[in-house]
Amino acid sequence: GAGVSQSPSNKVTEKGKDVELRCDPISGHTALYWYRQRLGQGLEFLIYFQGNSAPDKSGLPSDRFSAERTGESVSTLTIQRTQQEDSAVYLCASSYRDRAAYEQYFGPGTRLTVT
Amino acid sequence: DAKTTQPNSMESNEEEPVHLPCNHSTISGTDYIHWYRQLPSQGPEYVIHGLTSNVNNRMASLAIAEDRKSSTLILHRATLRDAAVYYCILRDFDSNYQLIWGAGTKLIIKP
């Protein structure tokens, strides 16, 4: 079946502009996660959604970052007033349930470059 | 989530088995052991996970020590496509969100 998809695959933006990144999870997956990966580094957790529960935003680095998810479908990650340090690959993952026994499936990521 | 320790890098010859070790001496009884890998310029990919018993799937095998303080990911016949960074991650049974990623092991496959 279809995997996790993300768009755009690449985004180049000027410092100070807003960007919106999209994630389409696997159908039927109730949990959705956003991570950030800077060049040569590991993944950093940003935010997590589980069904209709309030999202866990504990990983968001600043109030310029926000995310929304409609039910158990698509999610958007918005970065306002982008800074050069926001340049990274933004990865989305979904999981059937949010429990430790379930694996996460990742999308290909959106490479964001802030100039 | 408990901490894991992995070698920074390993080398193996193509078509030979590869054993990737992971130490997790502070593992709790409810921690699942997950393995993911990340190929160059791609998103992470799930490999395998287990709790107590050894596990096999189409990609790999997971051997878990009897005391669960270590585990080994086994690739039975490495190919060039298996060159990636392999991450060993512990997730508590009651943990309901993010995977906490370490540095992983960079696996180099020599043709």
Side-chain angles (χ1 to χ4, degrees), chain A residues 42-63:
Chain A
L43 277 71
E44 302 171 67
F45 165 74
L46 296 177
I47 189 170
Y48 143 79
F49 297 88
Q50 167 57 41
N52 294 315
S53 302
D56 181 331
K57 305 179 182 179
S58 61
L60 295 179
S62 76
D63 58 8

Side-chain angles (χ1 to χ4, degrees), chain A residues 21-76:
Chain A
L21 312 179
R22 178 187 169 107
C23 171
D24 283 273
I26 294 172
S27 177
H29 281 195
T30 63
L32 186 147
Y33 310 78
W34 283 98
Y35 296 87
R36 177 173 70 180
Q37 187 171 33
R38 291 197 167 107
L39 187 63
Q41 299 186 20
L43 277 71
E44 302 171 67
F45 165 74
L46 296 177
I47 189 170
Y48 143 79
F49 297 88
Q50 167 57 41
N52 294 315
S53 302
D56 181 331
K57 305 179 182 179
S58 61
L60 295 179
S62 76
D63 58 8
R64 296 187 295 105
F65 288 73
S66 63
E68 293 183 347
R69 186 183 187 195
T70 306
E72 295 181 357
S73 62
V74 67
S75 174
T76 55

